[in-house]
Amino acid sequence: MNEEENRMDLDTKIEIATQTLERNINFKENCFMKKRGILFGTIGLLAILICGCNKTQAEKGNKPDIETVEWRSSYITFLQDINKNNSKQGYEFVIKDLDGDAIPELIVKEKLKLTVYRQNKEIEEVGSYNFATGTTRLFSSESMNYPGIFYFYVSGGLNHYGYINIQDKELNIQELWNEDYSGIYKEMGEEREVIEKFSDDDKIIKESRDLYNNNCDLTFIKMSSDNINLDEVITN
């Protein structure tokens, strides 16, 4: 596939992603009722990529506005450049609106490192975070109150639960609570509760727990070794 054909293919798929994003803003369903491990194909995949869980495929005939065209075109070029320069690094990406402003960010994952980019006249990096631990999961909520990414990772004998979003144009990483599942602190002679909370917001803590228990993992799409192939079949 030559460069022009590759760009056209990616442009078509991101057009689908754009339309799906617009539908998902207006049509919300509970992700726990929709999570069934079914292979939906490319359109269903892109719905998963943008929102983390499957959504209603309601028809909407509106054409993308100028801002949508700009970020889509910029992300296409940016992804192609990353893939061209780092084709053997195993990069993955997802498109998701992390701050609820209706213009989605581009999240690129390299192993356990997340880097968030946004379109602002040109592509700019919002921030990055490296979990640096082997057991890490990322989740996406259906609630409009939580447009960011929930995370879970294991480190130091603890289960850590947190939330990543954008605040004041900067990447915000917040640990919500952790759980001493191994009893390591007791073994070390230190006193602490099994569960320690770092947020006073019980609702967001409950949301993080529910997403974990219901397996609402955010699905990333892999870049192939030669080109960005959004036709790759990935099951959820």
Side-chain angles (χ1 to χ4, degrees):
M1 181 182 292
N2 59 41
E3 184 174 348
E4 182 176 357
E5 290 173 336
N6 183 35
R7 180 181 177 85
M8 291 177 64
D9 179 67
L10 185 58
D11 186 52
T12 300
K13 299 307 180 297
I14 293 188
E15 169 68 23
I16 296 172
T18 305
Q19 295 173 359
T20 307
L21 177 63
E22 291 173 348
R23 289 195 293 268
N24 290 331
I25 292 171
N26 296 312
F27 298 92
K28 291 282 183 178
E29 290 189 358
N30 192 294
C31 68
F32 309 135
M33 298 297 294
K34 300 292 288 182
K35 196 78 175 181
R36 299 174 183 171
I38 300 171
L39 176 61
F40 283 89
T42 302
I43 295 178
L45 167 63
L46 286 166
I48 295 168
L49 297 180
I50 296 170
C51 293
C53 297
N54 307 316
K55 307 292 191 303
T56 302
Q57 296 299 316
E59 293 297 328
K60 184 175 181 180
N62 295 341
K63 293 182 179 180
D65 56 23
I66 294 175
E67 285 186 338
T68 298
V69 172
E70 287 181 351
W71 69 251
R72 187 182 65 238
S73 178
S74 296
Y75 288 170
I76 290 170
T77 301
F78 187 74
L79 287 169
Q80 287 178 326
D81 288 343
I82 289 179
N83 192 57
K84 184 185 299 182
N85 298 325
N86 303 279
S87 60
K88 296 182 180 180
Q89 296 298 318
Y91 282 80
E92 301 174 277
F93 71 95
V94 67
I95 299 170
K96 181 171 172 59
D97 186 359
L98 297 181
D99 53 7
D101 66 353
I103 300 178
E105 280 70 42
L106 173 65
I107 302 103
V108 176
K109 182 160 74 78
E110 178 191 2
K111 297 181 179 179
L112 297 175
K113 180 182 179 181
L114 293 183
T115 305
V116 177
Y117 301 92
R118 67 181 166 206
Q119 165 66 20
N120 184 17
K121 295 184 179 178
E122 59 183 22
I123 299 292
E124 60 183 27
E125 181 178 327
V126 180
S128 64
Y129 187 75
N130 194 339
F131 289 96
T133 181
T135 305
T136 301
R137 295 174 65 187
L138 303 169
F139 308 98
S140 180
S141 173
E142 287 278 342
S143 173
M144 296 182 66
N145 295 322
Y146 309 119
I149 297 173
F150 287 84
Y151 67 77
F152 162 85
Y153 70 89
V154 180
S155 178
L158 302 176
N159 289 333
H160 300 263
Y161 298 80
Y163 184 62
I164 301 172
N165 66 345
I166 294 175
Q167 293 184 1
D168 299 325
K169 298 183 179 181
E170 295 184 354
L171 198 65
N172 177 59
I173 297 96
Q174 177 188 8
E175 182 165 11
L176 301 174
W177 60 289
N178 65 39
E179 177 185 14
D180 183 8
Y181 71 93
S182 66
I184 189 171
Y185 277 81
K186 184 177 181 179
E187 291 179 5
M188 294 188 301
E190 298 184 23
E191 293 186 5
R192 62 155 280 167
E193 299 293 330
V194 174
I195 292 177
E196 285 195 352
K197 298 180 180 180
F198 304 102
S199 171
D200 295 328
D201 187 345
D202 289 336
K203 291 183 178 179
I204 194 172
I205 289 176
K206 182 180 184 300
E207 185 75 7
S208 69
R209 181 183 288 112
D210 289 345
L211 291 170
Y212 173 85
N213 289 335
N214 289 278
N215 298 320
C216 272
D217 295 73
L218 183 62
T219 305
F220 287 75
I221 188 165
K222 296 179 181 179
M223 298 184 191
S224 70
S225 60
D226 299 317
N227 55 62
I228 300 169
N229 181 13
L230 295 188
D231 290 320
E232 180 181 3
V233 177
I234 302 177
T235 57
N236 182 35

